[in-house]
């Protein structure tokens, strides 16, 4: 089987995958519908650059990946996203841009904002 049609990838807590490796992975494998990067504490913002090529993502989870900052998620657009999990990544988050997310309801946005004490 070829990996270029992989639809789900969950690398929850996988400390052996570096930011560089993830960046390369996302560049070449970009047909994900579900992508879980939970609890990858050493994940750096630049690793998420490859997400711009993942146009089919419906569920994106990055909870507990505490090294991700505003700049890591601010420019990512997911035209088909239905679920976004930033739990435990929001401590000190001062800016959050939610653009091009037609499937995200106003209620969901209100719930996200309610948990972000430092948001300006």
């Amino acid at each position: 089987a070829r990996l270029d049609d992989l639809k789900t990838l969950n690398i929850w807590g996988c400390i052996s995958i570096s930011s560089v490796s993830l960046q390369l992975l996302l560049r070449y494998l970009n047909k994900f519908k579900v992508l879980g990067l939970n609890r990858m504490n050493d994940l750096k913002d630049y690793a998420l650059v490859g997400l711009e090529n993942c146009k089919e993502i419906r569920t994106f989870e990055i909870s507990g990946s505490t090294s991700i900052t505003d700049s890591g998620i601010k420019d990512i657009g997911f035209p088909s996203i239905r679920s976004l999990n930033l739990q435990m990544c929001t401590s000190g988050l001062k800016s959050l841009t939610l653009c091009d997310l037609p499937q995200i309801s106003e209620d969901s946005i209100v719930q996200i904002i309610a948990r972000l004490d430092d948001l300006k």
Side-chain angles (χ1 to χ4, degrees), residues 13-120:
C14 187
I15 58 173
S16 61
I17 294 182
S18 70
S19 293
V20 171
S21 297
L22 181 63
Q23 189 178 33
L24 288 170
L25 181 82
L26 294 175
R27 182 180 302 156
Y28 296 107
L29 301 177
N30 53 27
K31 294 182 181 176
F32 298 117
K33 294 197 183 294
V34 177
L35 180 60
L37 304 176
N38 301 316
R39 297 203 178 271
M40 295 185 64
N41 293 334
D42 293 331
L43 195 63
K44 304 297 182 220
D45 290 334
Y46 69 85
L48 302 181
V49 170
L51 288 171
E52 64 194 20
N53 298 320
C54 300
K55 306 288 186 208
E56 299 178 30
I57 289 182
R58 292 197 178 359
T59 300
F60 179 56
E61 297 184 351
I62 192 163
S63 66
S65 295
T66 56
S67 295
I68 297 298
T69 69
D70 291 349
S71 63
I73 60 172
K74 72 175 183 175
D75 293 325
I76 299 170
F78 298 115
S80 59
I81 199 161
R82 290 192 172 85
S83 176
L84 175 65
N85 185 346
L86 299 172
Q87 186 178 3
M88 296 174 60
C89 294
T90 58
S91 176
L93 188 68
K94 304 223 184 293
S95 171
L96 177 63
T97 303
L98 298 172
C99 299
D100 299 322
L101 301 173
Q103 302 299 325
I104 302 294
S105 71
E106 186 175 322
D107 290 339
S108 293
I109 292 171
V110 169
Q111 288 177 11
I112 290 169
I113 292 171
R115 293 189 305 253
L116 300 175
D117 296 332
D118 295 332
L119 200 62
K120 293 183 178 182

Side-chain angles (χ1 to χ4, degrees), residues 5-16:
D5 287 327
L6 189 65
K7 301 294 183 203
T8 300
L9 179 65
N10 185 353
I11 48 179
W12 195 88
C14 187
I15 58 173
S16 61

